[in-house]
Amino acid sequence: MTWPGAAATRHLPLLGALVLTAGALAEPLPLPDPAHPTDLAGLLALTLAATVPLAFVRVQPLLTALALTTATLLAPLVYHRTLYTALVTTGIALFVVGLRHPARTAVLFAVPYVAFALVSAEDVRAYGMVLLTIAAAALGAGSARRANTEAADRTAADHSYADTALAHAALGERARIARELHDIVAHHVSTISVQAETARYTTPGLSAEGAATFLAIGDTARLALTEMRRLLGVLREDLPAHTPAARAPQPGLAQLVALVDEARETSGGAVRLLVRGRVTPLDPGLELTAYRIVQEALTNTRRHAPGVAVDVELDYRETELRLRIRDCGPGAATGRPGGTSGHGLLGMRERTAMAGGTLAAGPGPAGGFVVEATLPLPAAPGTAP
């Protein structure tokens, strides 16, 4: 346990020792008493011994308290002289002993004061009781402060341990969930991929368009497995760092061309990518959000309006990026979820909100279904808000 505020109070013991020593030397000398002749030199030595050691209380609290106790108790026994300044120095030293040492050490330091109060002569018994009271109070206060500090340290350690255990439990649960998802989803998606590949060779009289469709199904299933493994890598710690899924970067706007080509091949409809404005690299997180919005919108179109034409529009502006995915399908007439329901639209809305943008989805004014998202761009350095 360290001295409280040691950096700010390292000179206080020396200053206190100087002030109390001066106060002790200023106390009036005893009058000559034939019955008790006084050795002024010895009394002066005990007076200094009862104050000067206080300067070392930070570095040697036990030796300081022992020296002060000895001088304080010897002065009335040998010279019939009560050192009132020593009451302060002794109290300070005993408080430090109680603060920095175990309770058994404090009890040992209390024993001399108890003995002095019990066996001292009548003329100094009151002084002995005062000494005992101060010693007990100082030792008790120091021990209580030490106990409170240790209790606070234990509480903080318990909380830290509980937080660490909770974090490890959460990581374990996330890893378990990731393993379950991988085992369940990967099995079925892999089965789809294998069946699609097999169907190309085992289906009699399969046309070229049918073979291309089965090939696209297999490619989509493998892409889904890659995406799933990349996302599960966030949840699980045991994903090997050398696997392609772990090394592959997150997709961005540069991958939109491939995404549109894939949507065109799998849906059989016309899918166009229209870009306006000055194309500039954006924050990877913002590009990922834009990519996922387009990906989900194209997936919804394939699910609810397969084969229809789709336009994917990107509009780069000074302060924002606007996305517009519009199809020529029947809109909400097919039972497609509106702008506030459906897990896909909910995911797009959450991604947009995390980027600080807005999203609207619903039937278009001339039919079809439209998804519009506005994503704010970070201000350039030095640009006034």
Side-chain angles (χ1 to χ4, degrees):
M1 184 180 298
T2 59
W3 177 265
T9 62
R10 60 181 181 271
H11 299 304
L12 286 182
L14 177 59
L15 180 61
L18 292 176
V19 172
L20 293 173
T21 299
L25 294 177
E27 292 184 20
L29 294 174
L31 296 175
D33 185 358
H36 301 95
T38 302
D39 180 4
L40 294 180
L43 180 58
L44 179 61
L46 281 181
T47 301
L48 295 176
T51 54
V52 172
L54 184 64
F56 307 97
V57 71
R58 290 184 65 249
V59 293
Q60 292 291 341
L62 290 180
L63 292 179
T64 299
L66 183 61
L68 295 178
T69 297
T70 303
T72 303
L73 297 181
L74 282 180
L77 292 177
V78 177
Y79 298 104
H80 298 275
R81 169 74 163 166
T82 55
L83 303 176
Y84 295 103
T85 308
L87 298 177
V88 180
T89 58
T90 303
I92 295 174
L94 293 179
F95 174 80
V96 177
V97 169
L99 179 66
R100 299 176 59 178
H101 293 278
R104 59 179 179 273
T105 304
V107 172
L108 290 176
F109 268 92
V111 172
Y113 294 94
V114 174
F116 181 84
L118 293 178
V119 303
S120 58
E122 292 290 339
D123 55 343
V124 294
R125 182 161 298 173
Y127 177 73
M129 294 303 298
V130 172
L131 267 178
L132 176 59
T133 302
I134 292 176
L139 291 169
S143 297
R145 176 71 177 274
R146 174 186 175 86
N148 291 337
T149 302
E150 291 178 346
D153 292 343
R154 285 194 299 270
T155 301
D158 291 342
H159 288 168
S160 177
Y161 176 80
D163 292 341
T164 303
L166 184 61
H168 281 292
L171 288 176
E173 183 65 14
R174 289 171 61 182
R176 187 190 66 80
I177 294 173
R179 287 191 295 270
E180 291 292 334
L181 285 175
H182 182 273
D183 293 343
I184 295 173
V185 179
H187 169 72
H188 294 293
V189 176
S190 299
T191 301
I192 293 174
S193 177
V194 171
Q195 289 176 342
E197 292 290 339
T198 305
R200 293 171 53 200
Y201 302 102
T202 59
T203 302
L206 184 65
S207 63
E209 292 79 4
T213 300
F214 280 123
L215 179 61
I217 292 174
D219 292 340
T220 302
R222 285 189 291 273
L223 178 62
L225 280 174
T226 301
E227 291 281 346
M228 183 190 67
R229 291 192 178 102
R230 181 186 296 119
L231 293 177
L232 291 183
V234 178
L235 292 176
R236 62 189 301 181
E237 296 179 325
D238 55 351
L239 184 65
H242 61 275
T243 61
R247 293 199 307 265
Q250 291 282 18
L253 295 179
Q255 285 72 41
L256 278 185
V257 175
L259 181 64
V260 169
D261 291 342
E262 177 196 358
R264 185 184 302 115
E265 294 172 0
T266 56
S267 66
V271 182
R272 299 189 302 174
L273 176 62
L274 307 175
V275 181
R276 300 186 181 90
R278 182 179 179 182
V279 178
T280 56
L282 303 179
D283 179 79
L286 188 64
E287 290 203 5
L288 176 61
T289 298
Y291 179 91
R292 294 303 186 197
I293 291 173
V294 175
Q295 183 184 44
E296 183 60 35
L298 293 176
T299 301
N300 284 343
T301 299
R302 281 201 305 268
R303 181 183 303 118
H304 298 287
V308 303
V310 184
D311 284 344
V312 178
E313 302 176 13
L314 268 70
D315 189 359
Y316 287 85
R317 301 194 176 188
E318 290 292 334
T319 60
E320 62 188 17
L321 173 67
R322 291 192 176 183
L323 302 173
R324 191 168 185 261
I325 303 93
R326 176 174 57 89
D327 64 53
C328 300
T334 60
R336 186 187 305 200
T340 58
S341 62
H343 295 294
L345 291 175
L346 179 60
M348 287 191 288
R349 194 173 300 279
E350 290 175 345
R351 286 183 180 274
T352 306
M354 290 179 62
T358 58
L359 183 138
F369 199 82
V370 180
V371 175
E372 293 181 318
T374 302
L375 304 175
L377 302 181
T383 303

